[in-house]
Amino acid sequence: MTPAPSPTLQLGKCPSCHARFVPIDGPCPRCGSAGTETYAARGVGRVLAATALEVPPPGWPSPHLLALVEVEDGVRLLVASDPPLPGVGALVQVVADGAIYRAHPMPPEEDGRGEGDVPKVGGTRPPFEPPR
Ligand SMILES: [Zn+2]
């Protein structure tokens, strides 16, 4: 049996309203409580959307691959992605690389850990609705 992966991602949680979030510094984005905590998560999640920026901001490689990933507890992160561009629903491992979150591909047949609590695409939150 493959040993459990070590947690690689710090997420924030709020003892008052139980929200889970990133970034982990500052008050709770839902209720404003200042008494937030951090916890270690596996960082395994699914790609909700991805794109390749052919003309990225200065300092980034071209193409610059970006993905919106939902990890445990429904926390969503915008991450830089390793090539090739991941497809919607792809299983990835998100790690913090300094101030940047990066996604590494993780084929389900090779991860050996089952999908457990990995969220299904679009399964934990209602669709995004832009402000009117
Ligand atoms: Zn809160």
Side-chain angles (χ1 to χ4, degrees):
M1 185 174 165
T2 304
S6 53
T8 57
L9 188 64
Q10 292 292 310
L11 298 178
K13 64 180 176 181
C14 176
S16 298
C17 74
H18 308 291
R20 308 291 171 121
F21 51 85
V22 285
I24 58 176
D25 55 342
C28 171
R30 183 189 291 166
C31 75
S33 170
T36 60
E37 303 169 348
T38 61
Y39 68 103
R42 293 188 313 163
V44 176
R46 290 203 181 274
V47 173
L48 300 177
T51 191
L53 299 180
E54 299 297 332
V55 184
W60 293 96
S62 179
H64 179 45
L65 306 182
L66 290 174
L68 179 64
V69 177
E70 184 172 291
V71 296
E72 299 98 312
D73 297 327
V75 176
R76 293 179 177 182
L77 305 97
L78 186 62
V79 303
S81 177
D82 289 345
L85 186 66
V88 171
L91 198 61
V92 294
Q93 172 86 53
V94 176
V95 297
D97 179 10
I100 299 168
Y101 295 109
R102 293 189 186 280
H104 304 292
M106 201 175 78
E109 63 273 14
E110 295 178 9
D111 68 356
R113 64 190 86 173
E115 298 194 8
D117 58 348
V118 176
K120 305 292 183 224
V121 172
T124 58
R125 283 190 183 180
F128 174 74
E129 293 182 19
R132 296 171 190 232

